[in-house]
Amino acid sequence: VQLQAFGGGLVQAGGSLRLSCAASGRTFSTYVMAWFRQAPGKEREFVAYISRSGSSTYYADSVKGRFTISRDNAKNTVYLQMNSLKPEDTAVYYCAADLSYTGTNNKYDYWGQGTLVTVSS
């Protein structure tokens, strides 16, 4: 599967953005999908994942209550709605996919190219 993330940009603290990740292929619904992020000078970190059907989600503590992951299997797209953004949310955001792995580590087999989110104070 090929992944393309988009929707990043510059936003003020307290604002919102919605990231999208479009996947190629006809088997999107068989992949667990996730979002990770990497801030300047830091390691890539887990943000959220969503099950194949979308019925189950899991978030990093740092974004819980502010970010929402969702997916539309008919559109081969996963989303990350980000509200109440903080300067510390500034990072390149990556979407990832895997046929079997469900977790918070960098074990996903497929990765998008990343989209930059910058939150100004």
Side-chain angles (χ1 to χ4, degrees), residues 24-35:
S24 63
R26 305 179 187 178
T27 60
F28 178 73
S29 62
T30 64
Y31 290 89
V32 175
M33 300 298 298
W35 287 96

Side-chain angles (χ1 to χ4, degrees), residues 10-110:
L10 175 64
V11 63
Q12 290 187 334
S16 299
L17 275 177
R18 188 177 82 156
L19 306 183
S20 301
C21 175
S24 63
R26 305 179 187 178
T27 60
F28 178 73
S29 62
T30 64
Y31 290 89
V32 175
M33 300 298 298
W35 287 96
F36 286 74
R37 66 186 182 185
Q38 187 167 19
K42 296 188 177 181
E43 294 186 352
R44 188 175 299 184
E45 65 174 4
F46 168 79
V47 175
Y49 70 68
I50 188 167
S51 63
R52 296 170 185 82
S53 67
S55 61
S56 178
T57 58
Y58 185 81
Y59 298 91
D61 287 343
S62 58
V63 307
K64 198 173 298 182
R66 301 188 297 121
F67 291 10
T68 302
I69 188 171
S70 62
R71 66 190 296 163
D72 186 338
N73 286 343
K75 295 183 178 180
N76 284 10
T77 302
V78 62
Y79 305 97
L80 186 69
Q81 178 65 45
M82 305 185 294
N83 298 329
S84 302
L85 283 161
K86 305 175 182 180
E88 51 263 44
D89 295 318
T90 294
V92 176
Y93 283 72
Y94 299 89
C95 57
D98 201 279
L99 286 171
S100 58
Y101 178 70
T102 303
T104 63
N105 292 323
N106 294 332
K107 295 182 179 180
Y108 291 79
D109 281 341
Y110 304 97

